[in-house]
Amino acid sequence: MSRTPYIAANWKMNKTVAEAAQFIDTLLPRIAATQSDVVVCPPFTALAAVVERRYGTAVKVAAQNMHEEESGAFTGEISAPMLVELDVEAVVLGHSERRQFFGETDEALARKVPAALAADLEPILCVGESEEARDGGETEAVLERQLQTDLAGVDPVALSRVVIAYEPIWAIGTGRVATPEQAQEACACIRDVVRLRGAAADQIRILYGGSVKPGNAAEILSQPDVDGALVGGAALDPEDFAAIVEAAG
Ligand code: PEP
């Protein structure tokens, strides 16, 4: 089955509103002909500006995190209805930087993924192993454990609306990209786990993330189970990001 490629730009804590607007204005003409889903994940402060600029284009906008409750005493947090009100369509959940630096747990993700789906936000769920786990031959076990917990509350039909990003921690922001074979193996493993949950595994988009650049994107994206990329560093430059979108075909 052919799946529409999905290329997402994770800006992390980068870009002011003015810089975000400039990026979008440069990017849009460069990707006008793409058939892929192109997603931009700005910091919260730039979401509205990016949403405003992409109206009438194929670009979707995603937040980088959200809280599972709709409202309440959670200082500093943002909820799904707040994102939906801005016309944000998707949300990154479980990025390894949130797991590593901000105490994001699989148990919290088990609440966040259904909350996003209930609000009609497309979750981009990130999973991935540490270097120690890979060296210890535990990659598949780690992926299975994360997916089983994070997706525990999602029924098989809703599961086909989740985008899953395989992001090996050792490849994120390090310049050390997984080989196309490693990316393929891990994405195939993720598809198998999803299939065992009874979901339409052939429909689910599974992305690779970790030091994707214009020079290595095409080879990684040509793998049969790699349906797109979640791009950090190289997504800060609109020309580089456009080149990665082009590599997806
Ligand atoms: C990311 O932040 O999700 C990521 C993959 O970053 P980078 O492309 O810089 O490795």
Side-chain angles (χ1 to χ4, degrees):
M1 140 162 242
S2 75
R3 294 174 288 269
T4 305
Y6 192 105
I7 311 292
N10 176 19
W11 288 349
K12 314 191 186 202
M13 195 176 71
N14 291 292
K15 295 198 189 294
T16 62
V17 170
E19 289 164 347
Q22 203 174 24
F23 178 104
I24 297 298
D25 290 347
T26 308
L27 178 72
L28 289 178
R30 291 278 283 101
I31 60 158
T34 188
Q35 299 297 310
S36 301
D37 284 346
V38 178
V39 183
V40 176
C41 317
F44 290 127
T45 47
L47 283 171
V50 173
V51 165
E52 183 72 23
R53 275 188 148 68
R54 70 77 221 249
Y55 279 126
T57 75
V59 171
K60 287 206 272 191
V61 182
Q64 297 175 17
N65 183 33
M66 57 161 242
H67 195 275
E68 67 267 26
E69 296 292 335
E70 292 191 0
S71 61
F74 302 105
T75 301
E77 292 291 321
I78 300 283
S79 72
M82 294 170 183
L83 298 173
V84 170
E85 185 189 32
L86 291 182
D87 281 349
V88 167
E89 293 120 323
V91 60
V92 177
L93 295 175
H95 191 281
S96 65
E97 286 153 14
R98 295 224 54 91
R99 293 176 187 258
Q100 197 178 342
F101 303 131
F102 302 102
E104 181 87 285
T105 62
D106 287 308
E107 289 67 32
L109 290 164
R111 296 188 293 274
K112 288 185 178 195
V113 178
L117 288 166
D120 223 9
L121 284 171
E122 179 174 74
I124 306 170
L125 174 67
C126 302
V127 293
E129 82 287 3
S130 65
E131 187 163 25
E132 299 72 53
R134 174 157 287 271
D135 290 347
E138 289 166 21
T139 299
E140 296 199 350
V142 169
L143 296 176
E144 278 173 32
R145 196 165 56 237
Q146 289 174 332
L147 290 166
Q148 296 297 5
T149 310
D150 300 352
L151 298 172
V154 180
D155 66 64
V157 174
L159 197 46
S160 58
R161 289 164 48 214
V162 178
V163 174
I164 300 173
Y166 167 59
E167 295 220 311
I169 297 168
W170 47 270
I172 296 178
T174 59
R176 221 185 115 195
V177 66
T179 64
E181 294 73 27
Q182 286 172 327
Q184 164 57 26
E185 251 179 47
C187 290
C189 161
I190 290 170
R191 205 175 298 285
D192 286 344
V193 174
V194 167
R195 188 172 285 114
L196 285 174
R197 289 279 318 274
D202 290 340
Q203 284 173 23
I204 290 179
R205 262 92 60 91
I206 303 176
L207 321 180
Y208 167 77
S211 298
V212 174
K213 309 271 181 254
N216 60 28
E219 208 185 351
I220 292 171
L221 292 169
S222 70
Q223 300 302 308
D225 283 295
V226 180
D227 304 319
L230 181 54
V231 187
L236 293 175
D237 179 309
E239 295 295 340
D240 282 353
F241 185 60
I244 293 169
V245 171
E246 260 164 29

